[in-house]
Amino acid sequence: MNTTRLKKVLPAGFAFFSMLFGSGNLVYPLLIGQNTKGSYLFGMIGLTLSSIIFSFIGYVSIMSTQGDLKKYFSEMPHTLYFFMMLAIFLIIGPFLVIPRCTLVAFGGLKELFPNIELAYFALFYLLTAFFLSFKEEKVIDIIGKYLTPLKLGGILFVIFGALYVLPDFNLESTSWAHALSEGIVNGYKPMDLIGVLFFASIIHKSLETQLAEENNKDPKELNRRGMLVGLVGLSCIGIIYLFLLFLGAKYAFYTEGLDKELILPRITTIALGKLATATIAFTLFFATLATSVTLCNVFTDFFVNTLLRGMISRKSGLILTVVTSFVMTMLGFDFIDYLAGNFILWWLYPFLMSFVIFKSLKTYYLRMKST
């Protein structure tokens, strides 16, 4: 592989990983491992199918339209497209993902300080996301240069520390069909496919700027770099999923019945002791903050420019995003998980997956026809 290309692609790939890897990615692989125990490999297969593979197919297909969502969904009736976009933006913004990020970050700190109040933490966390989102043009730099190293370093420290002192339990096995189903069903809930569809435009613009600075006008080079960014970002997620799912299975005896956002902090405490709990609190804070900052920007731009057509300022839009996220956070993780399972799982996500398959087959057919 071209060394210069690799040097250019890796930061973008890690930034892509950081944008995608948020709250759900740190919860649901552990939950799948906990529920599948000795059959965790089948759970991993299911998770890989519904999350990583479909996300990569979606990424490749939307990059063929330069990350332009309107162009990507052009076959869809306008009214259906509008309401689907509205539903997705509400979900990835203040009604689901941002509050879920806040709660997962809170779970890490609660393991360290059991008496901490959610309201105070949520206020501090969301205000931090607000100020980091305020300079829109600096978001990619902030995520790529500062938040990603903190996130990745902390996650790897916790994973390898917990792997070093694995409990010596014989895991009971569930049926392979149950484990596979568990992986597929809970693999929807991190919503990687939705993230890919929305963050692809950011990656595409970033790569265009990169090539313009190099005075490189080769569209094939843009495609190559785009493909590599997707491979780097989603491979990082897949590898971490594998480790987290394994830990969820191995530590299932200690974590069954816990609130979902407390599973990883509890594993850290058991494996590495109370002092290491500060590490997981730090990790979860920055792991989710990168996603929250990105989503605050994505939702606010949609809300201000598309829904309200510039009737309010971007600053006012950010304030409304943060306030709504705070209210939803106070409703708790179980309510948010119920909303995700009963809305996204049974309607929106399967619909999106079907459309991605249709779009990919159509793109492939047109390419074959033109050659």
Side-chain angles (χ1 to χ4, degrees), residues 32-289:
I32 294 167
Q34 185 188 84
N35 292 339
T36 57
K37 299 182 176 68
S39 303
Y40 61 85
L41 285 177
F42 289 103
M44 186 62 206
I45 292 169
L47 175 61
T48 303
L49 285 171
S50 66
S51 183
I52 303 299
I53 291 177
F54 257 103
S55 295
F56 187 71
I57 293 170
Y59 175 80
V60 171
S61 63
I62 196 168
M63 286 296 274
S64 68
T65 64
Q66 296 78 49
D68 187 330
L69 283 170
K70 198 165 186 178
K71 188 175 178 182
Y72 185 71
F73 290 106
S74 59
E75 293 88 352
M76 195 177 290
H78 178 74
T79 303
L80 178 60
Y81 170 76
F82 174 80
F83 283 107
M84 185 190 73
M85 287 295 104
L86 178 60
I88 289 174
F89 274 106
L90 291 173
I91 287 164
I92 67 170
F95 280 84
L96 203 155
V97 179
I98 298 174
R100 193 167 70 181
C101 285
T102 311
L103 287 161
V104 168
F106 174 71
L109 203 64
K110 190 171 177 62
E111 184 73 12
L112 192 62
F113 303 109
N115 296 323
I116 190 171
E117 293 288 338
L118 174 59
Y120 295 126
F121 173 81
L123 187 62
F124 170 75
Y125 178 92
L126 291 168
L127 283 175
T128 303
F130 170 79
F131 286 115
L132 288 177
S133 302
F134 200 72
K135 292 289 186 183
E136 185 179 17
E137 67 278 6
K138 297 291 185 182
V139 169
I140 290 293
D141 281 344
I142 290 168
I143 290 172
K145 291 180 181 177
Y146 305 110
L147 298 186
T148 298
L150 291 170
K151 171 191 286 191
L152 192 55
I155 290 170
L156 291 177
F157 172 79
V158 168
I159 286 174
F160 288 117
L163 287 172
Y164 184 72
V165 286
L166 282 175
D168 188 21
F169 284 117
N170 291 322
L171 297 174
E172 61 178 287
S173 294
T174 58
S175 72
W176 68 267
H178 168 77
L180 188 66
S181 172
E182 223 14 83
I184 290 172
V185 169
N186 280 301
Y188 292 162
K189 293 182 180 180
M191 297 182 290
D192 293 324
L193 176 59
I194 293 175
V196 159
L197 294 177
F198 281 85
F199 297 149
S201 62
I202 299 175
I203 295 300
H204 191 274
K205 288 174 185 175
S206 177
L207 292 176
E208 278 188 326
T209 303
Q210 190 180 93
L211 287 170
E213 290 172 354
E214 298 171 22
N215 200 25
N216 189 334
K217 298 179 181 179
D218 183 4
K220 289 184 179 179
E221 180 62 17
L222 179 62
N223 292 335
R224 289 189 202 102
R225 292 192 188 186
M227 185 76 72
L228 287 171
V229 167
L231 282 172
V232 170
L234 288 168
S235 294
C236 287
I237 290 176
I239 291 166
I240 291 176
Y241 275 175
L242 177 62
F243 285 125
L244 289 176
L245 197 145
F246 180 69
L247 290 178
K250 284 293 187 179
Y251 285 86
F253 177 81
Y254 297 107
T255 59
E256 284 184 312
L258 278 179
D259 290 340
K260 298 176 184 67
E261 67 271 27
L262 295 177
I263 295 174
L264 187 57
R266 184 60 51 84
I267 288 174
T268 306
T269 302
I270 293 165
L272 302 173
K274 199 69 179 176
L275 288 176
T277 307
T279 303
I280 193 59
F282 176 86
T283 299
L284 291 177
F285 185 88
F286 286 104
T288 58
L289 185 63

